Amino acid sequence: MIRAWGRFDWVRDASATRTALFASRMRIPPHKVVVCPNVHVGVRGRAYVSCTGRLLLGRRFNVERFAASDLRLVGDDASLHIDGVFSIFTGFSISVNPGATLRLGSGYINSRCVIDCFEAITIGHDVAISKGVVIRDSDNHSLDATTF
């Protein structure tokens, strides 16, 4: 029997262990963040997450496999804020560096996205971002024309 892909079928894909570990590390309720299989979450220093909405990390389409995905909160004062219901599909790489802030409203980012946050990135509400998009707020080099 073939069943239609329902609105809450992503719940069966969730990794209870990964979700519980991330929620306890970040001191947020486990129902606020859902972590799917093959998602690596790395937290160093005094990074923190605030969540008034819900974050779904590593979702997949019904026939897609879970690709390796990576969320890194790297160092002191790296922060992630979730203000609405936001989904990030499998195969992502997100890095929030020391002192940087990533703020997510509501919507989704399709698979294989890359986000590198060095200062501040805000993604608003009702957002749909395509597959394979790269979002960065730095190009990691000086714009001073006198240095070569």
Side-chain angles (χ1 to χ4, degrees):
M1 178 172 134
I2 297 176
R3 194 168 67 87
W5 192 247
R7 184 172 175 195
F8 295 105
D9 281 348
W10 55 266
V11 173
R12 72 168 179 228
D13 289 336
S15 169
T17 304
R18 290 174 188 266
T19 299
L21 287 172
F22 182 63
S24 67
R25 170 74 167 98
M26 294 289 96
R27 297 184 180 127
I28 57 176
H31 67 277
K32 294 288 188 175
V33 176
V34 175
V35 181
C36 291
N38 224 1
V39 174
H40 175 264
V41 178
V43 179
R44 283 192 269 159
R46 293 177 307 177
Y48 62 94
V49 174
S50 71
C51 190
T52 57
R54 177 174 291 141
L55 178 63
L56 309 170
L57 289 172
R59 283 186 66 183
R60 68 181 179 137
F61 294 106
N62 58 349
V63 295
E64 190 175 29
R65 292 185 179 187
F66 289 106
S69 303
D70 196 27
L71 170 65
R72 293 179 305 276
L73 300 172
V74 188
D76 293 341
D77 300 324
S79 63
L80 172 62
H81 302 276
I82 300 98
D83 298 325
V85 177
F86 205 91
S87 296
I88 301 173
F89 283 81
T90 189
F92 66 85
S93 175
I94 298 175
S95 177
V96 183
N97 289 283
T101 301
L102 175 60
R103 183 174 297 276
L104 303 173
S106 63
Y108 68 90
I109 299 175
N110 218 322
S111 58
R112 295 191 304 274
C113 79
V114 175
I115 298 176
D116 290 322
C117 183
F118 292 90
E119 291 183 24
I121 295 175
T122 300
I123 298 175
H125 292 277
D126 299 324
V127 173
I129 297 176
S130 183
K131 178 194 271 186
V133 170
V134 176
I135 300 172
R136 296 176 52 93
D137 65 349
S138 172
D139 58 5
N140 297 96
H141 67 80
S142 172
L143 295 178
D144 185 7
T146 60
T147 55
F148 289 96

